[in-house]
Every structure is written in structure tokens, then in C-alpha cells.
Amino acid sequence: MNLFDVNTQNFISERCVFVNSEWVLPWKEYIPHWNEPNQTPPKIMWFSVIQKKDIIKAIEIDHLFRCIVLKKDSDLKQHFNVLFHQEYYPSSDEDDYEYFLGFTNKNLFLANYLDKVKKRFEVSLIE
């Protein structure tokens, strides 16, 4: 958190739901201080964003955006999908970007959530 300005710290703190070291991604990433003997990931702050502007702000805060999908008031261990930011490219307007997201449970996402996401964002499906 110390790397962020006060407004960003407040944005995260006000929306914080979990703080833990549980790794939910199906792969391990290189994190410099993760090389400790017990291989425990660093503390991760999970915060909730619902509004489109807040989702965009979350992606701006960390370009390696990760998002878990769970039912309201559920425990982190009850997540049933992980969305992750794979890459982004500038579109024709330099201030606008195209984001590419991946997910760990493709069939569940396509069957249950793609239509909802399409209603809120401009979405193209690339397989």
C-alpha cells in the first residue's frame, strides 16, 4: 500500500473484503519476497468493485488485475472463477485501451456471466 498515493490507498481500504496469503490462481508467479523458506505468498488485499468506473480504477491500480467471482457474503475459499488480466493494447485513441481477460472456468463463465458482462462493457469473445 505504501507505493500508492493516499487516494488510491483509501479507494482500496474502503472496499477491502479479505486480507490473506491464499493463492487462488492455477499457476505460481515470481514474486521477489515469495522466496522465503515456507513459500507463503505475500499478504493480498482483496477488495470489492461493482461499478464500471471502480472496475476500471482497479485495473488501473494494478495492470496484473485478478478478480475472483463469488456469491455475496461468501468466503474467499468459495470462489468459483478467477478472472485475470492477460494483456492490453492501445486502441486508435491513445487514452483508450483494449483489455484481454482470461478466466479459470471457461464453461461456467460463458454459460452464466458473459451476457451480464456484455450488458455493462463492450465485449468481444476471442477463443
Side-chain angles (χ1 to χ4, degrees), residues 1 5-7 26 33 35 46-47 52 60 62 68 84 96 101-102 105 107 111 121:
M1 289 285 282
D5 62 71
V6 173
N7 290 334
H33 52 280
N35 294 331
W46 294 95
F47 57 97
K52 181 178 179 177
E60 289 172 350
D62 184 356
I68 56 171
F84 50 92
D96 193 22
L101 300 177
N105 193 332
N107 294 334
F121 299 96

Side-chain angles (χ1 to χ4, degrees), residues 20-23 28-29 31-44:
N20 62 27
S21 292
E22 185 174 335
W23 195 252
K28 187 172 178 179
E29 293 185 359
I31 300 174
H33 52 280
W34 194 348
N35 294 331
E36 307 214 356
N38 61 3
Q39 295 291 302
T40 302
K43 292 284 186 195
I44 300 167

